[in-house]
Amino acid sequence: GLMPATHYSKASFLMGAFVSGLTFCRSHGLHTIFVSQYKRYLHLLMKIFFAASIGFQVPIKSFGSGAVIAKGLLLSLSLIGKLAVGFM
């Protein structure tokens, strides 16, 4: 219902999605059913979209430069040092 209503009223589809979200938010029974049905899919999609949004920001072409490799080795060395001190 709400998505076609926003289409015919010449509003944005995002407005329809927002109003639909408000409807789910207000009705506890609908929210419980929605969470129980889509929880697994939502977790999978959130992982994919989070990884993609972070992954697309990484400039891959500069990985071969000496400065990036040196910084990576320095960070790896500091991580190994922290782990070594943590297990003492």
Side-chain angles (χ1 to χ4, degrees), residues 2 4 11 23 25 49 54-55 60 75 77 80:
L2 295 175
T23 304
C25 180
F49 287 128
I54 298 299
I60 297 174
L75 287 172
L77 182 64
I80 291 169

Side-chain angles (χ1 to χ4, degrees), residues 54-73 75:
I54 298 299
F56 290 142
Q57 298 295 322
V58 176
I60 297 174
K61 291 182 180 178
S62 65
F63 275 163
S65 71
V68 172
I69 293 172
K71 288 178 184 177
L73 289 173
L75 287 172

Side-chain angles (χ1 to χ4, degrees), residues 14-69:
L14 293 175
M15 178 60 86
F18 174 73
V19 173
S20 298
L22 279 179
T23 304
F24 277 114
C25 180
R26 303 267 174 160
S27 174
H28 183 68
L30 282 174
H31 178 73
T32 306
I33 292 170
F34 179 78
V35 169
S36 68
Q37 294 291 323
Y38 292 103
K39 185 176 185 177
R40 199 172 356 164
Y41 301 115
L42 287 175
H43 283 291
L44 175 67
L45 288 174
M46 290 298 286
K47 288 177 186 177
I48 290 171
F49 287 128
F50 179 75
S53 66
I54 298 299
F56 290 142
Q57 298 295 322
V58 176
I60 297 174
K61 291 182 180 178
S62 65
F63 275 163
S65 71
V68 172
I69 293 172

